[in-house]
Amino acid sequence: GEIKETTYKTYVDVTIGDFLRYNNDETYLAQTLRAINETLCSQVSWRILSSKTDIGSQNTIAKYVDVLKSGFVINPFYVINRQKGTPNYRSDKKLHYADPFIFHALNGWINQTPAYRLAQQTIKEDKPKLIEAIIGDHLIRYAYSLNPSDNFEPTLNVFYWKDKKNEVDYILKTGTEYISFEAVSYTHLTLPTN
């Protein structure tokens, strides 16, 4: 089956409506999403994101991403401060879509192309990043299940880690323990025929 364009449009319209509710500009939303898509699942600073747009301020781009986070569109992940067990907000962050469907809907909108058709064209290229994003979103949900609260803050519970030689895709905080996760995507897997 195929997802109808009207279904994608509904989610795009909700995202645009949420963004405009904070007196933001729809053009800046498109630019912000395009910059996020260009750096998806990679370490990026607010400065780099803002340099890919007409938005002159790092603080403004951070605010826009926060609006998208509040609307459950984007999940930001911060590098963990290993001494404190907290996010290092000044360090580069990774931005992931909360759901592949939302990615495809908004990607279609910013490219002015029917979302389902664009998804079919780009799925092989986007698949590893979307798998990584799905894992991140599931870790957020799991962290919430460990400590359900109206004040739950995902960035205080799921992080990533990187030094000069190594990187860990996710660090999950479970009380006083930290568990590392590596997202691995196989493009081709051959099973033994025994």
Side-chain angles (χ1 to χ4, degrees), residues 3-4 12 34 56 94 99 113 133 182:
I3 300 171
K4 294 182 180 181
V12 169
R34 188 169 280 112
K94 289 183 176 184
D99 186 276
T113 304
E182 191 64 29

Side-chain angles (χ1 to χ4, degrees), residues 93-108:
K93 61 260 339 116
K94 289 183 176 184
L95 302 173
H96 301 249
Y97 280 86
D99 186 276
F101 174 82
I102 295 170
F103 165 76
H104 290 301
L106 293 171
N107 196 35

Side-chain angles (χ1 to χ4, degrees), residues 9-189:
K9 185 178 181 324
T10 299
Y11 282 85
V12 169
D13 289 346
V14 167
T15 302
I16 293 171
D18 283 350
F19 195 75
L20 296 178
R21 186 175 44 184
Y22 294 97
N23 297 318
N24 296 321
D25 186 290
E26 186 174 326
T27 302
Y28 288 153
L29 171 61
Q31 290 180 27
T32 301
L33 291 170
R34 188 169 280 112
I36 290 170
N37 287 3
E38 288 175 15
T39 60
L40 196 60
C41 297
S42 299
Q43 297 170 37
V44 66
S45 66
W46 298 134
R47 183 184 58 77
I48 295 293
L49 277 179
S50 66
S51 75
K52 295 177 175 292
T53 70
D54 290 337
I55 302 163
S57 166
Q58 298 174 42
N59 293 336
T60 302
I61 200 94
K63 180 184 116 182
Y64 290 170
V65 170
D66 194 54
V67 169
L68 293 167
K69 175 184 170 237
S70 296
F72 302 99
V73 174
I74 296 293
N75 289 325
F77 296 91
Y78 295 89
V79 74
I80 189 170
N81 178 322
R82 293 177 62 195
Q83 286 72 39
K84 297 179 182 179
T86 59
N88 182 347
Y89 292 111
R90 293 190 172 271
S91 187
D92 289 352
K93 61 260 339 116
K94 289 183 176 184
L95 302 173
H96 301 249
Y97 280 86
D99 186 276
F101 174 82
I102 295 170
F103 165 76
H104 290 301
L106 293 171
N107 196 35
W109 173 65
I110 64 174
N111 287 293
Q112 296 296 288
T113 304
Y116 187 81
R117 187 176 71 199
L118 185 59
Q120 295 302 305
Q121 293 170 354
T122 62
I123 192 68
K124 285 184 182 177
E125 176 186 330
D126 297 331
K127 188 176 181 180
K129 294 176 183 177
L130 294 176
I131 289 171
E132 186 173 333
I134 290 167
I135 293 168
D137 190 64
H138 280 274
L139 289 172
I140 289 170
R141 291 168 191 256
Y142 181 70
Y144 175 81
S145 76
L146 296 174
N147 189 17
S149 163
D150 290 343
N151 299 323
F152 178 78
E153 175 52 49
T155 62
L156 297 175
N157 294 277
V158 185
F159 319 90
Y160 78 95
W161 179 74
K162 181 168 175 73
D163 66 11
K164 292 178 182 176
K165 295 181 182 180
N166 301 301
E167 179 179 347
V168 176
D169 288 331
Y170 296 106
I171 307 285
L172 173 67
K173 182 179 181 180
T174 60
T176 58
E177 291 186 1
Y178 295 85
I179 304 170
S180 62
F181 293 86
E182 191 64 29
V184 179
S185 174
Y186 294 97
T187 55
H188 181 75
L189 180 63

